[in-house]
Amino acid sequence: MGAIVSFLLPALTIYAAFTAYPVVRTLYNSLHQVRPARSDAYVGLGHYIGLWGDEFFWKAVANTLTWAATAPILEQALAILLALALYARIPGARFFRIVWFTPVLMSFVVVGIIWMWIFNYDWGVANSLLRGVGLDGWARSWLGDPRTALPALIFVTTWMWTGFNMVVLLAALHSLPSEVLEAAELDNCSWMKKLWFVIIPLIRPTILNLVVLSFVGKMKVFDLVWIMTKGGPLWSTETVSTYVYKRAFEWNTFDLGYPCAIASVWFFIVLAGVLLLSVLFRQRGKLEY
Amino acid sequence: MQRAAMLGKCIVFAAIAVIGFTAATAQAQTVLTLWSHWADHDSKRAFVEGAARAFEKANAGVSVKVSWYEKQALHAALKTALLAGQGPDIFYAEPNQTEYVENNLLYDLSKALNWNNIEPWAKLGWTYKGGVYGLPLEAWTVEMYYNKKMLSDLGFKLPASMQFTQAEFLDVVKKARASGITPISLGVGDRDFPGAFLTHEALLKKLGYDDYDKLLRGALSWSDPRVREALVFVKQLIDAQALPSSFSTLKLGESHFYFHTKPGSLMFLMGSFYPSRAFNPPDKGGQPPDFQLGLMHYPAVDKGACNNCKTITIGGSYVVNAASKNPELAGKFLNSMATPAMGNRWLEDVLVQTGIKADPSKITGPYAGYFRDLAQINDACKFYPERPVGVMTGKAKEVFAQVVNNAFPAGLLTVDQVIEKMNAAK
């Protein structure tokens, strides 16, 4: 017993200090007004009630949910195509695998700066290409227009993370049982049918895990927004994370209670989202092969 | 016996040595800690480090330990450290951070500094609820810089008052745009305030000091007819494409380069911290050596209550932590920087204005002319001592930053929409 405790104690201590305590403290703060040099003032559900009528919060929620709902689908769809291309050993597969994976190795800061250049109205690559093919009217301030700012950011995260998903899916493809694929070929299965009825069901658990990871990542997205738009223009790219940061550190108030209330609500929404995805993607009948 | 005596002597000797060492280190270990922004501002770092070394030399047994940060990192570090009661003795702050005073975190410097050596507007900027809390090192005004050659080539001559009328200025903007020149360089890619210069200078001139102050503090409606007239003027400038097409993503540093080098704009509405970037060598982002820099006033608005009013902002300042163990010593250190000699040194080395009284006529060197021009243009000005984002807090500040700093000058909103959103945010 003593040995068990002594082995578990270091890990439990670290877990309690850096995971359990912050979570409990966040929940505690969300029920209080927390200010320095004063004792915490209990406000009950005041912050949560305030949240209900907070237009910025709901705008941030809408943007974040849009992002979390679209980006994982885009990433998975593109990643499957790229992984299949590599699986089929297209010419230059090795080269493309590295090129497509590279974006994920870059930090958000670097990615943000690169794409701010690309989206620059005057000399950015995006508008230069459009002008080059005679589509001058399509050139716009991609990050300065509320209609295009969020899609532009979603595009950047898709560009950044598709390579990661591709590598994981490629590993899953390589681990598929060859007998099943050969049997499908013997049955004269078309390429499309083989993909839809054989390959995708077999790699479904991998896809689920990637979707969940992507979903959670997008629900917490902060860095890229902060670097590229700071939530603007007109809150069109405000996410829950950037709003929490603004409320905690930029609204000229020391109170951490309200931001903690947002963080608490969001924690449960993310948790519910993950559970929902797990239920939706649950494999109803175990495949036998 | 002899051995025991020897051992005893050794112990006594060691004890004396330890006591002596402890006393010596105790004297040398009065350490003042200072957390400051400006990690990447060499001239400001050199100024502060120089002041710290001079203070150490004049005060034996005291050392000043400065930790340099980037601004955002500093604010985040301070907020957590102060909450935990572990902040430094002195730290960087700006007057708009009233939350520090509201939460009793600052030591009142009313009696610690020689305020005769501080500009009255700078003292006013740091005066809050009866106390004075900061040493205003850095200050800047909102200036309209222009390219003298370009203005002349367009066929315009600046009036003797150095101020165009509203109609004349609109004509300048339209003619510049018609000639393929961006009239005013400005961008909000990484800041929440430069885009608002265009609007808040018009509002300040139109309303005058007191009513403008009321507007910012929510005591005057944005539906006021004078506010609308000022916004309509700004909207005319925006519709005349006064600003760069890349306004929304153009960063502060890039907007400087845009003005003086590539592609070049006629004017640049910017803080008077302009020289800290532009007076560097061209290969470090500075303006070309033959660039003809001029200064003019923001245009006089029609029926303006105070067309010589101008925004001045107290920027980087130092405050003393109320929980410091050595608040008086910290105040003494700050006071060592509050002298006219240090004010002049700041101007010469940092090339930015200061809240410490200085004498620009005594400045020598290649930029002496610039500082004389700056002093001349500001001579008859009445200063409003803060930017709107410095006066506003919470929701009003957020809406102002999104609406007046960004969306309105970007041409995304009408005058009515601005009024509606700002009234809703009060």
Side-chain angles (χ1 to χ4, degrees):
Chain A
M1 185 62 184
I4 293 171
V5 170
S6 56
F7 274 110
L8 282 178
L9 201 60
L12 281 177
T13 306
I14 291 170
Y15 179 80
F18 295 107
T19 304
Y21 174 71
V23 169
V24 173
R25 181 73 202 198
T26 302
L27 291 170
Y28 169 87
N29 283 355
S30 73
L31 302 172
H32 293 79
Q33 198 167 44
V34 185
R35 292 190 170 182
R38 294 178 206 180
S39 54
D40 300 342
Y42 180 70
V43 294
L45 296 175
H47 291 318
Y48 292 95
I49 294 165
L51 210 52
W52 190 252
D54 185 342
E55 56 178 315
F56 300 136
F57 172 69
W58 291 111
K59 180 74 180 159
V61 168
N63 291 335
T64 312
L65 288 178
T66 304
W67 203 327
T70 52
I73 296 168
L74 289 170
E75 284 172 17
Q76 298 316 310
L78 287 169
I80 288 172
L81 290 177
L82 297 182
L84 285 170
L86 295 181
Y87 186 63
R89 297 187 193 284
I90 57 164
R94 214 170 193 178
F95 170 75
F96 285 117
R97 189 171 59 187
I98 294 167
V99 169
W100 292 336
F101 184 70
T102 303
V104 82
L105 301 176
M106 290 191 249
S107 74
F108 275 111
V109 178
V110 175
V111 169
I113 291 170
I114 289 173
W115 280 93
M116 282 179 80
W117 290 339
I118 292 173
F119 286 134
N120 185 284
Y121 180 85
D122 290 320
W123 41 263
V125 176
N127 284 343
S128 298
L129 282 174
L130 289 170
R131 291 184 187 116
V133 296
L135 295 171
D136 299 49
W138 289 22
R140 63 183 64 242
S141 178
W142 298 96
L143 298 173
D145 186 333
R147 290 167 302 178
T148 55
L150 185 62
L153 292 187
I154 292 174
F155 180 83
V156 175
T157 51
T158 304
W159 172 84
M160 193 173 174
W161 288 102
T162 297
F164 171 78
N165 290 289
M166 175 203 73
V167 167
V168 176
L169 288 170
L170 187 61
L173 287 174
H174 280 300
S175 66
L176 289 179
S178 56
E179 306 86 351
V180 180
L181 296 175
E182 284 163 9
E185 278 163 20
L186 285 173
D187 286 343
N188 254 346
C189 220
S190 69
W191 184 88
M192 200 59 202
K193 282 185 176 171
K194 196 165 77 175
L195 173 68
W196 192 251
F197 292 110
V198 181
I199 294 176
I200 289 183
L202 286 175
I203 60 171
R204 188 173 162 146
T206 308
I207 294 174
L208 169 63
N209 286 328
L210 288 173
V211 166
V212 169
L213 276 177
S214 178
F215 173 79
V216 173
K218 303 307 177 284
M219 293 289 269
K220 298 191 299 183
V221 70
F222 174 83
D223 326 47
L224 198 71
V225 181
W226 202 247
I227 292 155
M228 294 181 75
T229 61
K230 279 201 162 60
L234 290 174
W235 305 279
S236 61
T237 58
E238 194 80 83
T239 64
V240 174
S241 299
T242 57
Y243 186 51
V244 168
Y245 184 85
K246 281 183 182 177
R247 290 300 301 244
F249 298 110
E250 299 232 313
W251 276 40
N252 293 57
T253 161
F254 266 100
D255 181 29
L256 292 176
Y258 193 84
C260 284
I262 304 174
S264 302
V265 167
W266 202 238
F267 168 74
F268 288 109
I269 291 176
V270 173
L271 189 65
V274 171
L275 292 174
L276 183 70
L277 279 174
S278 303
V279 171
L280 285 175
F281 279 76
R282 185 184 295 158
Q283 203 133 4
R284 287 184 174 78
K286 191 171 170 60
L287 285 170
E288 288 184 9
Y289 44 83
Chain B
M1 186 69 186
Q2 200 176 8
R3 206 172 161 184
M6 187 70 176
L7 188 65
K9 283 177 186 170
C10 284
I11 290 170
V12 170
F13 182 76
I16 291 168
V18 167
I19 291 165
F21 179 75
T22 309
T25 49
Q27 193 188 16
Q29 275 180 351
T30 305
V31 180
L32 282 178
T33 49
L34 165 60
W35 291 6
S36 181
H37 168 43
W38 298 329
D40 60 347
H41 293 64
D42 292 344
S43 57
K44 291 173 189 169
R45 283 183 60 162
F47 176 88
V48 176
E49 291 283 3
R53 299 295 83 79
F55 187 72
E56 286 171 350
K57 204 172 172 183
N59 295 272
V62 177
S63 68
V64 182
K65 188 182 170 194
V66 189
S67 302
W68 299 101
Y69 290 83
E70 280 301 312
K71 194 190 270 189
Q72 295 299 333
L74 173 69
H75 287 168
L78 274 173
K79 290 207 171 177
T80 45
L82 292 170
L83 277 168
Q86 294 175 343
D89 296 299
I90 304 164
F91 56 92
Y92 173 101
E94 293 174 11
N96 60 316
Q97 293 176 295
T98 50
E99 68 270 25
Y100 288 133
V101 188
E102 291 284 354
N103 288 287
N104 306 318
L105 294 170
L106 301 188
Y107 178 75
D108 187 355
L109 295 172
S110 300
K111 291 173 185 165
L113 299 190
N114 179 2
W115 292 100
N116 292 326
N117 289 338
I118 305 293
E119 295 283 0
W121 48 260
K123 184 183 178 188
L124 182 67
W126 266 111
T127 303
Y128 194 77
K129 292 187 175 174
V132 196
Y133 294 95
L135 169 69
L137 265 182
E138 183 188 38
W140 51 270
T141 45
V142 176
E143 298 296 343
M144 183 73 86
Y145 294 96
Y146 73 100
N147 182 329
K148 284 181 178 172
K149 184 174 182 306
M150 214 178 256
L151 189 72
S152 168
D153 289 348
L154 285 169
F156 290 100
K157 191 170 183 297
L158 193 64
S161 63
M162 293 188 281
Q163 189 171 37
F164 285 117
T165 64
Q166 191 174 308
E168 287 168 348
F169 189 76
L170 189 58
D171 191 35
V172 171
V173 166
K174 285 179 177 171
K175 196 162 181 185
R177 184 49 86 178
S179 306
I181 297 167
T182 301
I184 306 171
S185 175
L186 211 54
V188 292
D190 60 347
R191 294 291 196 281
D192 65 358
F193 62 86
F197 287 161
L198 200 60
T199 306
H200 69 63
E201 287 307 286
L203 288 169
L204 173 59
K205 285 170 167 53
K206 188 78 180 179
L207 298 172
Y209 190 106
D210 293 335
D211 280 357
Y212 176 70
D213 188 61
K214 285 180 190 166
L215 180 77
L216 298 189
R217 295 181 193 281
L220 181 72
S221 169
W222 281 73
S223 305
D224 186 287
R226 294 168 298 164
V227 173
R228 176 180 292 278
E229 284 171 21
L231 291 176
V232 166
F233 166 56
V234 176
K235 182 65 176 162
Q236 286 173 334
L237 296 175
I238 294 162
D239 290 344
Q241 295 178 286
L243 304 180
S245 309
S246 52
F247 165 79
S248 298
T249 51
L250 197 68
K251 294 182 179 178
L252 193 76
E254 292 169 350
S255 65
H256 285 63
F257 191 75
Y258 192 108
F259 166 57
H260 57 61
T261 302
K262 191 178 176 185
S265 68
L266 175 61
M267 294 171 281
F268 187 33
L269 187 56
M270 188 42 57
S272 58
F273 47 75
Y274 172 79
S276 64
R277 284 182 171 83
F279 289 176
N280 286 318
D283 61 347
K284 289 186 176 173
Q287 65 184 31
D290 58 346
F291 188 76
Q292 294 180 30
L293 182 68
L295 279 159
M296 70 166 90
H297 288 292
Y298 186 93
V301 298
D302 295 347
K303 297 178 191 166
C306 182
N307 273 320
N308 66 333
C309 278
K310 185 183 275 191
T311 301
I312 192 163
T313 293
I314 300 158
S317 307
Y318 285 139
V319 295
V320 174
N321 186 352
S324 165
K325 287 176 184 166
N326 301 296
E328 287 173 9
L329 189 63
K332 195 177 167 189
F333 170 57
L334 295 189
N335 197 41
S336 72
M337 285 190 267
T339 66
M342 291 297 273
N344 273 1
R345 185 187 293 179
W346 175 274
L347 280 181
E348 274 184 328
D349 294 351
V350 181
L351 301 173
V352 178
Q353 288 146 292
T354 174
I356 302 168
K357 279 183 182 168
D359 185 357
S361 67
K362 289 186 179 168
I363 292 176
T364 55
Y367 306 118
Y370 167 80
F371 280 106
R372 275 195 293 276
D373 289 349
L374 187 63
Q376 186 193 348
I377 202 164
N378 284 326
D379 193 35
C381 285
K382 184 178 179 184
F383 293 115
Y384 183 82
E386 191 48 273
R387 290 166 296 159
V389 287
V391 179
M392 296 167 160
T393 56
K395 188 177 178 183
K397 181 184 173 184
E398 169 69 13
V399 174
F400 186 88
Q402 292 271 357
V403 170
V404 181
N405 180 56
N406 191 335
F408 182 49
L412 299 171
L413 297 174
T414 63
V415 168
D416 286 334
Q417 286 171 320
V418 173
I419 291 170
E420 182 195 331
K421 286 181 187 296
M422 289 310 303
N423 276 337
K426 278 203 297 182

